[in-house]
Structures are given as C-alpha cells and as structure tokens.
Amino acid sequence: MHELIEQLQEMSERVPVPLELPSFDQLLDVEEEILIPLPSDLKEYLLHASDVIVGSFEPVTAADRHSHTFLPEVAAYAWSIGLPRAMIPICQNGDNFYCIDQEGQVHYWAFGDFTDDQWDSFWEWAEDVWMNS
C-alpha cells in the first residue's frame, strides 16, 4: 500500500490549486454524515492519497465540502439513484459508481446493477483501474 501511495504521488499532476488531505477529525465527520463506517483501506486513501490527481477518474475526497468529489455528496447522489445503502461510492463515472463494501471489496455498479467486475481491495482497484484511467 505504501509503495502504491508513493507511486500515485509521483504520478500526480501539478495543478494551480492542489487538493488537501483531510484530518482524522474530518473523516469522523464524514462517517457521522453518511451514517456508515469507512473501511480501513478507504480511510488510508483519504488520509494519505486523496490529494492526488491521476488519470481521468476522480475518486472521492473528504477535505473540501464544496468539491464535486466530496464523499457525503457523492454518496447521497449515488444512494438516491439506487446504489444500495450499504455500499460506499469511491469514484463516480457518470451515473455509474465504483463502490466499496464493509469488507473492503470494490464493486462496479453500472446502469442500476452490479457488474461482474470486482477487486479485493481499494488498492487493487487503484492500481488496476484508477492509475490506468
């Protein structure tokens, strides 16, 4: 995981207004807002790599409430269009979502149903999908 975070940071695009990493307290606020605990891999990503800009996908963030990637807002929209409430979206792709379950497995929810695409962890998804987007 740490090597993958370093690789993501090296690949990250430089932008005029960089993203910020959230504090642990901000993650607690996000959990309270969405009323579901964050799996450990998602917490690690949010705390250590959610400031990274790589490829065309934009995974969720937790530091800026006004960002279009702010996890509670992405989750509220995903749940409103049918994503099961037990799933936490990690990346929006139009009206389709990559999402994580409480065991840490990542699934792809497209056109109102789950596909056969599945990854064992957030980090496996990041390496296979996000870094190649």
Side-chain angles (χ1 to χ4, degrees):
M1 167 191 60
H2 297 291
E3 289 175 11
L4 192 57
I5 290 173
E6 287 177 18
Q7 190 176 1
L8 283 165
Q9 290 170 337
E10 289 172 9
M11 293 173 62
S12 186
E13 296 177 32
R14 304 265 184 250
V15 293
V17 182
L19 298 172
E20 293 181 22
L21 292 173
S23 66
F24 188 77
D25 286 343
Q26 286 174 305
L27 287 191
L28 292 176
D29 291 343
V30 164
E31 286 180 319
E32 287 179 10
E33 206 167 320
I34 65 173
L35 302 173
I36 189 169
L38 300 175
S40 59
D41 280 355
L42 182 56
K43 283 183 185 179
E44 288 296 317
Y45 154 73
L46 289 168
L47 286 169
H48 303 291
S50 61
D51 62 340
V52 169
I53 298 174
V54 171
S56 61
F57 284 158
E58 297 178 282
V60 294
T61 58
D64 182 359
R65 296 190 146 282
H66 303 292
S67 173
H68 65 284
T69 57
F70 186 59
L71 176 55
E73 295 300 319
V74 174
Y77 177 69
W79 295 331
S80 77
I81 63 169
L83 181 70
R85 186 69 174 79
M87 303 300 282
I88 301 172
I90 59 170
C91 186
Q92 185 172 355
N93 183 16
D95 279 346
N96 304 323
F97 293 86
Y98 292 95
C99 51
I100 194 167
D101 61 28
Q102 287 300 301
E103 288 75 40
Q105 289 187 318
V106 175
H107 308 266
Y108 189 52
W109 188 78
F111 308 105
D113 206 357
F114 289 101
T115 69
D116 292 335
D117 297 323
Q118 187 172 315
W119 298 265
D120 288 334
S121 71
F122 177 91
W123 300 110
E124 183 180 303
W125 171 83
E127 189 170 26
D128 290 350
V129 178
W130 180 25
M131 291 172 70
N132 294 309
S133 67

